[in-house]
């Protein structure tokens, strides 16, 4: 017997939900304005349904759902492309916003990212197969814990404080790629915590370090965000 579940999430406006998801490549499959506002969107087999609530505050939303996928990267790249087209950069603070795919210790080492929609709901994309756990430096361990604090618990300020302290106490044995990863994420955390000056200083600390294509793209998005602030 097959089982199928579809998330039903609250929002203040189904118009905003419709415009948002269509910009991300979703198709509106159902919509009604009365007697109760309701809209359904779909992309590549993923269905999300929303109901409108008058006076609903997205900043106070606890709505969430988990989307299990074989690989988070294609989903992230597709959604990120739509967000960049709509907002000129990736929105990392406020509502809506997105986090980048990262391994999460509180999810058995699975990679994942969260899309916060205009209703303040967290649509959490995660891999369905655990990835191998590698031995970590102390800086990499602090980075992993910061991911849990910010991306799962929603506290970028506390995560930034923790990660900044770990970078200051950096073990010389830590690989340079761990430092680059930590600095790039710390800059993102400062943006999400609405501290653009700290974010700019952190990006400067990256200096001439070689960047992977993924981190280079993240840094470019951060600089665009800071230039627009």
């Amino acid at each position: 017997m097959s089982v199928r579940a579809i998330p039903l999430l609250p929002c203040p406006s189904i118009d905003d939900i419709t415009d948002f998801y269509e910009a991300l490549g979703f198709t509106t499959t159902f919509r009604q304005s009365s007697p109760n506002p309701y809209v359904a969107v779909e992309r590549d087999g993923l269905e999300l349904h929303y109901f409108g609530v008058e006076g609903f505050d997205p900043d106070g939303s606890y709505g969430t759902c988990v989307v299990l996928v074989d690989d988070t990267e294609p989903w992230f790249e597709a959604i990120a492309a739509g967000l960049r087209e709509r907002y000129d950069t990736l929105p990392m603070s406020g509502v809506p916003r997105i986090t980048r795919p990262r391994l999460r210790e509180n999810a058995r080492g699975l990679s994942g990212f969260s899309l916060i929609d205009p209703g303040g709901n967290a649509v959490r994309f995660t891999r369905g197969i655990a990835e191998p756990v590698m031995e970590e430096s102390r800086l990499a361990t602090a980075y992993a814990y910061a991911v849990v604090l910010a991306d799962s618990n929603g506290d970028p300020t506390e995560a930034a404080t923790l990660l900044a302290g770990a970078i200051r106490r950096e073990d010389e044995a830590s690989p340079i790629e761990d430092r680059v990863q930590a600095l790039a994420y710390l800059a993102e955390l400062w943006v999400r915590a609405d501290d653009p000056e700290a974010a700019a200083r952190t990006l400067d600390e990256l200096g001439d370090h070689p960047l992977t294509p993924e981190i280079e793209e993240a840094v470019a998005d951060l600089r665009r965000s800071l230039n627009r602030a």
Side-chain angles (χ1 to χ4, degrees):
M1 183 178 69
S2 63
V3 177
R4 183 184 181 199
I6 299 175
L8 182 56
L9 302 168
C11 67
S13 168
I14 62 170
D15 291 336
D16 291 345
I17 290 293
T18 302
D19 292 344
F20 178 74
Y21 277 106
E22 288 186 350
L24 303 188
F26 284 71
T27 300
T28 299
T29 57
F30 178 81
R31 177 187 172 92
Q32 72 174 28
S33 298
S34 62
N36 301 303
Y38 193 103
V39 66
V41 296
E42 186 274 339
R43 174 171 179 164
D44 297 331
L46 170 60
E47 292 185 57
L48 299 171
H49 291 206
Y50 290 85
F51 61 98
V53 180
E54 186 176 354
F56 183 78
D57 180 9
D59 290 331
S61 177
Y62 289 95
T64 189
C65 67
V66 175
V67 182
L68 295 177
V69 295
D70 292 334
D71 188 355
T72 56
E73 288 292 342
W75 278 97
F76 175 80
E77 291 302 331
I79 290 173
L83 290 172
R84 290 190 185 99
E85 179 70 21
R86 185 179 179 88
Y87 300 104
D88 296 326
T89 188
L90 289 186
M92 299 175 194
S93 61
V95 177
R97 64 183 183 275
I98 193 171
T99 65
R100 290 183 174 276
R102 297 184 177 92
L103 299 183
R104 301 189 182 189
E105 287 194 344
N106 65 333
R108 296 180 292 111
L110 302 176
S111 66
F113 71 93
S114 295
L115 175 68
I116 311 303
D117 63 36
N121 306 287
V123 182
R124 303 175 186 269
F125 290 78
T126 187
R127 283 177 59 96
I129 301 175
E131 300 180 14
V133 177
M134 308 296 290
E135 185 176 349
E136 295 181 334
S137 68
R138 283 187 288 183
L139 184 55
T141 299
Y143 164 87
Y145 187 53
V147 169
V148 174
L149 283 175
D151 294 2
S152 295
N153 291 10
D155 194 341
T157 301
E158 183 177 352
T161 301
L162 178 143
L163 190 55
I167 291 172
R168 286 195 300 270
R169 299 186 300 271
E170 182 182 358
D171 187 343
E172 291 183 359
S174 296
I176 187 62
E177 56 265 28
D178 287 355
R179 176 175 174 79
V180 168
Q181 175 180 252
L183 284 170
Y185 187 45
L186 179 58
E188 177 184 320
L189 291 173
W190 287 132
V191 168
R192 290 162 61 180
D194 295 321
D195 192 337
E197 293 183 0
R201 288 196 304 269
T202 304
L203 288 175
D204 289 341
E205 287 187 56
L206 282 170
D208 297 324
H209 291 314
L211 307 180
T212 64
E214 180 182 357
I215 291 181
E216 188 172 5
E217 179 182 72
V219 168
D221 283 327
L222 288 167
R223 293 196 184 280
R224 281 193 290 268
S225 294
L226 292 174
N227 289 336
R228 296 182 63 196

